[in-house]
Amino acid sequence: MGRRVAIVGAGVSGLAAIRSCLEEGLEPICFERSDDVGGLWKFSERVEEGRASIYPSVFANSSKEMMCFPDFPYPEDFPVFMHNRKLQEYITSFAREKGLLKHIQFETLVSSISKRPDFSTTGQWDVETEKNGKKESAVFDAVMICSGHHVYPNLPKDSFPGLELFGGQCFHSREYKDPGLWKGKRVLVIGLGNSGSDIAIELSRVAEKVVVSSRSGSWVLSRVWDDGYPWDMVFITRFQTFLKNSLPTAISDWWYMKQMNSKFKHENYGLMPLNGALRKEPVFNDDLPAHILCGRVSIKPNVKKFTETSAVFEDGTVFEAIDCVIFATGYGYAYPFLDDSIIKSRNNEVTLYKGIFPPQLEKSTLAVIGLVQSLGAAIPTTDLQARWATRVIKGTCSLPSRNDMMSDIDEKMGKKLKWFGKSETIQTDYIVYMDELASFIGVKPSIPWLFLTDPRLAVEVFFGPCSPYQFRLVGPGKWPGARNAILTQWDRTLRPTRTRAVGEMRKPCLPTQLFKFLALPLLLLAVFLAWV
């Protein structure tokens, strides 16, 4: 084994980091606060300090073919969108199959990570841990932080005048577990994200009244997309990304909003985002529109103020006799074991090169895995991040100069302001980001070369889903089964739903999809040419 690498957390990011270290001949030692792998997906009946917390009914928003480790497909009989128990089963199976468990020290808290006095020459870190009341310290050649960003709740109580007067219960969605506690009650959910929508739907089946307050609205999408196929296998493709990034901004924005509004008119449901062209993460909820239609859930604007028993909204309406307020207002990202200035090196903003490396460190021996968010799934993203990070730590890949990294961060912030409305957001464009990391490692598939050498595969790679297997086709870490996994991904997707076989299996027709996507741009081009 080579250099010793400390890994904080044994969720999907931590497991990806352990496996990548082993592939590069490094010596990983992972410290996990709980007694099992899984991180966010490991359900617990109680809220545990320092750990992510989910409610029992959580399902994945990404389909199984789009959220697997690139060389470890899900079993064919697993459902397309998985309950947290199924996903935890898969994560545990991956850890066992790849021999990762022996590299994890469970029930071990990382209390401090600091540079050694000779860091500028060695790049080494002092890592202090605690287990069963016993503290230990060890020296590591590198550190990979994989502790996620669903741990520290964002609870903006100061933004709501009068909340201190409110006499009912008030808590963050992180603490939500059992809808039965609110039977017959009147509940206000603040926040229209995935958690807020899920909780509102679940409570509406038992509560007397549920109101959701949203400051800026959101696109609400179904997991079931065109022709009944999983949304991400139709929406996240190289071809669509190419078109959206190549078309003029006005046309690209119009097309995006048309896609988002294709199932129902968000304006009629009070859900329309204030700026619909921004590529902010949409909400995935198959039930919300129907529950609004049936009067089980109501959507309201931001809360102007609270009284002892009610909430007054910015439109002047009032929700009376509230029993409970649930803040589904997201999370902040914090690393209490690390000096803040390492991650937030400028104006208290997260400044990480490619969302991974602090650019101001003299040695690139600290990496943050799993902080970046996109429409794509977390597992393939963290896998590719870890593969690149371990190659940088090993010295196989190198980083640009500090100035070049800061210039890249500034450029990306400008693009994020345009696409997401906030320059400091941790969101990014999935395929563009993945291809960027893949090019650093040498694993980005060459589409022109594929069309010349393997046209069948090229069609699936470019026009079909941008599935994780694409990043194990070539280069370091190449998986011999990647080609076949891509060509059979629709078989594994459709098989679990065909429990009553009627006719032949109907896969998407890529030529038809191509015509559908090209028809509109060609029509607009024709109109433009006719006009001029």
Side-chain angles (χ1 to χ4, degrees):
M1 302 298 290
R3 309 177 76 189
R4 280 164 46 93
V5 180
I7 298 171
V8 184
V12 294
S13 301
L15 296 179
I18 297 170
R19 198 267 287 269
S20 294
C21 282
L22 295 174
E23 288 182 331
E24 294 299 329
L26 304 174
E27 182 183 353
I29 300 176
C30 178
F31 302 105
E32 167 55 41
R33 184 169 187 159
S34 72
D35 61 357
D36 202 356
V37 298
L40 172 69
W41 296 104
K42 176 63 176 177
F43 173 75
S44 173
E45 293 285 353
R46 57 188 179 85
V47 179
E48 300 175 23
E49 182 185 356
R51 286 199 63 234
S53 176
I54 57 174
Y55 37 95
S57 58
V58 167
F59 278 79
N61 290 329
S62 298
S63 63
K64 67 176 184 179
E65 289 300 304
M66 299 293 280
M67 68 175 302
C68 63
F69 286 99
D71 59 344
F72 198 72
Y74 288 88
E76 287 191 353
D77 62 338
F78 272 40
V80 179
F81 291 99
M82 280 169 289
H83 185 262
N84 61 81
R85 285 196 306 270
K86 272 294 186 189
L87 193 45
Q88 176 66 15
E89 181 183 333
Y90 168 81
I91 294 168
T92 303
S93 176
F94 173 79
R96 288 174 178 162
E97 179 74 20
K98 301 299 181 181
L100 309 182
L101 296 177
K102 61 186 177 182
H103 301 282
I104 304 172
Q105 295 184 18
F106 291 105
E107 298 180 321
T108 303
L109 171 69
V110 174
S111 53
S112 173
I113 297 176
S114 58
K115 297 180 189 177
R116 286 185 59 75
D118 58 355
F119 179 84
S120 60
T121 55
T122 65
Q124 291 182 326
W125 301 83
D126 284 320
V127 178
E128 295 181 7
T129 59
E130 183 176 343
K131 182 174 183 177
N132 298 327
K134 181 182 178 182
K135 295 183 178 181
E136 292 185 359
S137 181
V139 177
F140 287 87
D141 298 298
V143 173
M144 299 177 77
I145 300 175
C146 307
S147 51
H149 50 82
H150 292 92
V151 176
Y152 303 100
N154 175 38
L155 199 57
K157 292 185 177 182
D158 293 341
S159 301
F160 298 96
L163 185 60
E164 69 280 1
L165 304 174
F166 178 66
Q169 285 196 251
C170 178
F171 60 91
H172 192 271
S173 58
R174 164 181 165 79
E175 300 177 47
Y176 173 82
K177 296 290 182 181
D178 182 10
L181 297 175
W182 310 106
K183 184 175 181 180
K185 304 295 185 180
R186 296 168 63 83
V187 181
L188 172 62
V189 178
I190 295 181
L192 185 60
N194 287 307
S195 295
S197 301
D198 282 351
I199 291 170
I201 294 302
E202 195 165 82
L203 288 175
S204 72
R205 299 186 174 105
V206 297
E208 177 190 322
K209 180 67 176 176
V210 176
V211 171
V212 177
S213 168
S214 175
R215 181 178 54 189
S216 57
S218 182
W219 295 117
V220 178
L221 304 184
S222 170
R223 294 177 177 88
V224 184
W225 204 248
D226 295 345
D227 300 319
Y229 297 118
W231 77 270
D232 49 357
M233 295 187 73
V234 178
F235 191 80
I236 302 179
T237 71
R238 292 182 177 277
F239 177 64
Q240 284 212 48
T241 298
F242 169 75
L243 277 186
K244 287 173 181 174
N245 292 338
S246 302
L247 290 171
T249 301
I251 297 177
S252 178
D253 289 348
W254 175 83
W255 183 24
Y256 174 77
M257 292 176 66
K258 184 175 176 61
Q259 284 184 303
M260 296 295 101
N261 226 7
S262 61
K263 300 300 180 183
F264 65 95
K265 302 303 179 187
H266 284 63
E267 304 94 314
N268 297 339
Y269 290 71
L271 297 168
M272 185 72 182
L274 293 180
N275 187 342
L278 294 179
R279 270 53 166 184
K280 294 168 66 177
E281 183 181 4
V283 171
F284 290 94
N285 195 293
D286 303 285
D287 301 317
L288 184 58
H291 277 62
I292 294 173
L293 277 178
C294 295
R296 298 302 305 163
V297 174
S298 300
I299 307 298
K300 288 289 185 178
N302 197 36
V303 175
K304 182 180 180 180
K305 66 177 182 178
F306 282 93
T307 68
E308 291 86 349
T309 60
S310 62
V312 181
F313 301 102
E314 290 182 345
D315 61 359
T317 58
V318 180
F319 183 29
E320 301 276 6
I322 302 173
D323 295 294
C324 174
V325 176
I326 301 177
F327 282 88
T329 44
Y331 294 83
Y333 28 91
Y335 306 104
F337 46 79
L338 188 69
D339 186 340
D340 250 3
S341 65
I342 293 177
I343 304 296
K344 301 178 179 179
S345 61
R346 185 181 61 183
N347 301 328
N348 204 35
E349 295 176 340
V350 173
T351 45
L352 297 172
Y353 181 62
K354 305 306 178 188
I356 300 173
F357 287 102
Q360 81 284 3
L361 291 179
E362 302 95 319
K363 298 289 183 179
S364 302
T365 56
L366 184 139
V368 180
I369 307 298
L371 179 61
V372 168
Q373 285 184 298
S374 71
L375 264 185
I379 291 178
T381 304
T382 58
D383 181 77
L384 203 52
Q385 287 179 325
R387 289 166 68 188
W388 179 47
T390 50
R391 291 175 70 80
V392 170
I393 290 169
K394 184 179 179 181
T396 309
C397 294
S398 59
L399 298 182
S401 68
R402 180 186 184 278
N403 288 338
D404 287 345
M405 286 192 281
M406 290 303 299
S407 296
D408 182 83
I409 290 171
D410 290 337
E411 180 187 347
K412 292 295 189 295
M413 282 185 169
K415 290 181 178 179
K416 288 177 179 181
L417 182 62
K418 172 188 174 184
W419 284 94
F420 306 111
K422 294 189 295 184
S423 61
E424 72 279 7
T425 181
I426 56 176
Q427 284 187 272
T428 190
D429 185 312
Y430 178 67
I431 293 179
V432 172
Y433 180 71
M434 293 289 279
D435 276 350
E436 199 169 28
L437 296 186
S439 65
F440 295 154
I441 308 171
V443 299
K444 178 184 174 182
S446 170
I447 306 301
W449 179 251
L450 282 178
F451 271 108
L452 288 173
T453 60
D454 195 339
R456 182 187 174 198
L457 179 62
V459 169
E460 287 289 342
V461 168
F462 187 64
F463 296 107
C466 186
S467 50
Y469 316 117
Q470 295 190 14
F471 302 101
R472 290 273 180 177
L473 271 172
V474 296
K478 175 182 177 180
W479 178 44
R483 181 183 185 275
N484 184 63
I486 293 171
L487 296 178
T488 57
Q489 58 195 358
W490 282 107
D491 296 315
R492 289 187 300 279
T493 299
L494 299 176
R495 190 162 287 119
T497 63
R498 287 173 53 82
T499 53
R500 174 179 173 261
V502 182
E504 296 295 323
M505 184 181 291
R506 300 288 296 275
K507 304 177 187 178
C509 179
L510 294 181
T512 302
Q513 287 185 308
L514 175 61
F515 175 78
K516 185 191 301 183
F517 288 131
L518 287 179
L520 180 60
L522 290 175
L523 177 62
L524 291 172
L525 178 61
V527 171
F528 174 77
L529 293 175
W531 183 264
V532 298

